[in-house]
Amino acid sequence: MEHHFELKGRGLLFLSLLWFLWFNNIYARAVFSPILPLLEDEFVISHAQASGIFMFQSVGYGISLLFAGLYSGKFGYKKCIALSFAVASGTFFLIPFIKTLSTLYFLSFILGFSAGAYIPSVIPLITEHFAEKNWGKSIVIHDSAASVSIFCTPFIALFFMYFFGWRGVFVAFAIIFLSVATVFWLTVDELKITTARKGLRSN
């Protein structure tokens, strides 16, 4: 695995890719908010029923976070992230075809579950790629994607809805997620830690 001791050049490019991954991970869950009124009209449901989408997302996300630390290291951090985005892409492809609210709840759970695998897998990648003195800066830069994504999500949704309608939004996201997963898989090496870090070695 290539190591980047400074936040410049290829190191900054690698961090930018991770930043974009986290940006996508956030708006994958936040995108339901701006289109919620359309979903209520489509399925003839109340605000309370529509908000159940976020509940199922949160449950899936929480369960995934709980268990990701157990399986991500054994399965492979790179594999976990790529699989996370591939599953999210498949979920997005299915959403335009749903006819019932219960199916939407189920897919929301799957979307939340797939998103939860990202953070426990990306932090080891960041700390392994960059020198310890740059951990704080690299993690802060990476985490800034969350705030930017939340701000941009309504505008992204409105842009795609203008051309494709609300169902087309999810098709566009599916294509984006599949493309991002492919680029990540082809450009990033799997993390293999063969020696303990100095600060973690027993005395």
Side-chain angles (χ1 to χ4, degrees):
M1 170 174 284
E2 185 177 5
H3 296 268
H4 310 289
F5 293 99
E6 301 295 336
L7 293 173
K8 60 183 180 181
R10 298 187 67 177
L12 186 59
L13 187 63
F14 169 75
L15 187 59
S16 298
L17 174 61
L18 297 183
W19 188 96
F20 188 64
L21 289 173
W22 187 221
F23 179 92
N24 283 269
N25 184 288
I26 294 295
Y27 82 61
R29 290 169 285 141
V31 69
F32 286 96
S33 182
I35 67 173
L36 211 57
L38 299 177
L39 293 175
E40 292 174 1
D41 293 339
E42 179 82 14
F43 294 98
V44 193
I45 56 178
S46 65
H47 294 307
Q49 289 175 304
S51 63
I53 294 171
F54 300 104
M55 183 193 72
F56 280 93
Q57 275 189 14
S58 299
V59 171
Y61 189 78
I63 293 174
S64 182
L65 281 177
L66 184 63
F67 289 103
L70 300 176
Y71 66 76
S72 57
K74 297 178 180 179
F75 182 68
Y77 298 112
K78 171 186 172 180
K79 293 186 183 73
C80 280
I81 293 176
L83 182 61
S84 167
F85 275 76
V87 171
S89 176
T91 304
F92 280 139
F93 269 123
L94 292 175
I95 288 177
F97 301 101
I98 61 175
K99 301 296 182 182
T100 64
L101 182 62
S102 58
T103 305
L104 182 57
Y105 283 161
F106 174 73
L107 292 180
S108 297
F109 174 85
I110 297 299
L111 191 61
F113 189 86
S114 66
Y118 177 77
I119 280 294
S121 298
V122 77
I123 295 300
L125 286 178
I126 292 176
T127 55
E128 182 68 13
H129 269 78
F130 294 100
E132 187 173 350
K133 65 177 182 178
N134 289 321
W135 285 359
K137 289 184 289 186
S138 58
I139 291 174
V140 166
I141 291 173
H142 172 266
D143 197 52
S144 68
S147 299
V148 176
S149 181
I150 291 172
F151 175 80
C152 293
T153 294
F155 302 103
I156 296 173
L158 287 172
F159 174 79
F160 285 116
M161 279 193 291
Y162 180 81
F163 294 102
F164 310 114
W166 76 264
R167 293 179 185 272
V169 171
F170 293 102
V171 175
F173 284 0
I175 295 172
I176 292 172
F177 270 57
L178 186 59
S179 301
V180 169
T182 302
V183 171
F184 175 79
W185 181 261
L186 295 176
T187 58
V188 176
D189 296 328
E190 183 60 272
L191 172 59
K192 295 179 180 179
I193 300 178
T194 56
T195 58
R197 294 193 182 280
K198 183 177 180 180
L200 299 179
R201 291 187 184 124
S202 58
N203 294 326

